Amino acid sequence: ITGCSRTMTGSAVITINPLPAAIGGPSAVCVGSSITVTDPTPGGTWTSSATGIATIGATTGVVNGLATGTTNITYTLTTTGCQISKNITVSATPSAISGGSTACTLSTLTLTDAVPGGVWTSSSTSVALIGSLTGVLTGVISGTTTVTYSLGTGCTVTKNITVNPSPAPIGGTPQVCVGFTTLLTEATSGGTWSSSAPLTGTVSTTGTVGGIAAGTTVVKYMLPTGCYSDVVVTVNPLPSAIVGPFTVCVNSTTTLTDTVTGGAWTSASPGIAVIGGASGTVTGMSAGTALITYSLGSGCTTTARVTVNPLPAVITGTAQVCVGLTTTLSDITPGGAWSTSTPATGTVSGGGIV
């Protein structure tokens, strides 16, 4: 600082020691995982600048990630003190994967992880597919796959998923009328039947669905693995009871009605009685009894029996008479009663005398 100087004489020996070679190995590790760093120069020891983030074995070079952050790993030669260092980044590890560990073929299972931003993969896409961003797994065939959830840092977590076979599709007619039954079938044995709405429709251990009230119910067939097939069964209402005169004469008509509209009328014996499909008008064709059915579009029906009575035989006798005199009419069919439409013109007795 004063500018004063002195010229010195003499000599000194300076020893230049080599640095260790560059540290090899990964430069990142996940929390809860470990990596190994190496140095080809022997005789050194390892240290970590932030042991709360990562520790390292002094002689092994094994780095253990403890918390997210960055630490400086140093390799120091024991004899010379020369050292070299390398930054190691410790990244967050995904949490344990949530969701079931079994899935069914042709069904889905949703997996989740509390740490967002990762990507999903399946080790065996022939067994199960998984949405890379959604975590929705779809079973393809029975087997086992390993699902991996990976963050951008390369930190991953895995879970083994077993895919079990689903039952075959449910067969049978998924419609039934109130008060009636329909049989559902299942080709896969060993399962149990259930109904989501037993007040609408019940199901027996053999798959027989009983209609209780109009509506829908989901009938499920489940295997012990939890895999199932299901079908929506519709329970249709019945028509109301048929109303109307249930007797008619041959060549005469009677009209039947039902309070539930939109159905169609049919006769089981058109030789005895025919009925208008939309009108409900019954025409007697011959003496006897005919079963009349009223059917809704759902196939639900109600029935009634109509009796067709025979006409009396043709009235015989002289169909003319003078004022003040009589003529006798007769009918070979017994049990009838005589009447006249205009008694002021002509009377008729119980014996047919006009």
Side-chain angles (χ1 to χ4, degrees):
I1 60 176
T2 63
C4 300
S5 64
R6 175 183 291 180
T7 301
M8 305 294 288
T9 60
S11 63
V13 176
I14 304 298
T15 301
I16 306 299
N17 294 308
L19 289 174
I23 296 173
S27 58
V29 66
C30 302
V31 172
S33 298
S34 62
I35 58 171
T36 299
V37 293
T38 59
D39 196 290
T41 307
T45 56
W46 298 94
T47 57
S48 169
S49 66
T51 55
I53 293 175
T55 61
I56 188 168
T59 58
T60 62
V62 176
V63 179
N64 296 303
L66 302 179
T68 58
T70 301
T71 185
N72 187 262
I73 298 297
T74 300
Y75 183 70
T76 304
L77 295 178
T78 304
T79 55
T80 64
C82 294
Q83 57 187 212
I84 193 167
S85 62
K86 179 177 184 177
N87 285 334
I88 299 292
T89 300
V90 182
S91 300
T93 298
S95 62
I97 295 173
S98 299
S101 58
T102 59
C104 303
T105 56
L106 306 179
S107 297
T108 60
L109 171 70
T110 300
L111 302 177
T112 59
D113 196 283
V115 179
V119 175
W120 299 90
T121 56
S122 169
S123 66
S124 179
T125 54
S126 62
V127 173
L129 303 171
I130 191 167
S132 61
L133 301 179
T134 63
V136 176
L137 179 140
T138 302
V140 179
I141 61 172
S142 57
T144 301
T145 186
T146 299
V147 171
T148 301
Y149 182 70
S150 305
L151 298 178
T153 59
C155 297
T156 63
V157 67
T158 61
K159 185 172 187 175
N160 288 331
I161 303 294
T162 300
V163 179
N164 295 308
S166 293
I170 294 173
T173 302
Q175 290 197 50
V176 65
C177 302
V178 172
F180 289 81
T181 62
T182 184
L183 179 63
L184 302 180
T185 59
E186 174 57 59
T188 307
S189 60
T192 55
W193 296 92
S194 65
S195 169
S196 66
L199 296 180
T200 299
T202 60
V203 63
S204 71
T205 56
T206 59
T208 299
V209 178
I212 305 300
T216 59
T217 182
V218 178
V219 174
K220 183 181 293 185
Y221 182 79
M222 181 176 290
L223 298 177
T225 59
C227 297
Y228 65 89
S229 291
D230 60 15
V231 65
V232 176
V233 175
T234 300
V235 181
N236 296 305
L238 288 173
S240 62
I242 295 173
V243 178
F246 298 113
T247 59
V248 67
C249 298
V250 172
N251 297 331
S252 295
T253 62
T254 184
T255 299
L256 305 181
T257 60
D258 196 286
T259 58
V260 180
T261 60
W265 300 90
T266 56
S267 170
S269 304
I272 294 174
V274 295
I275 188 167
S279 66
T281 299
V282 179
T283 301
M285 305 300 291
S286 63
T289 301
L291 182 67
I292 302 298
T293 300
Y294 182 69
S295 304
L296 298 179
S298 62
C300 297
T301 63
T302 187
T303 60
R305 290 191 177 275
V306 171
T307 300
V308 180
N309 295 310
L311 292 173
V314 176
I315 296 173
T316 58
T318 302
Q320 293 188 53
V321 65
C322 298
V323 172
L325 299 182
T326 63
T327 182
T328 300
L329 303 178
S330 62
D331 195 289
I332 62 173
T333 306
W338 295 93
S339 65
T340 175
S341 64
T342 52
T345 299
T347 61
V348 63
S349 70
I353 298 173
V354 179

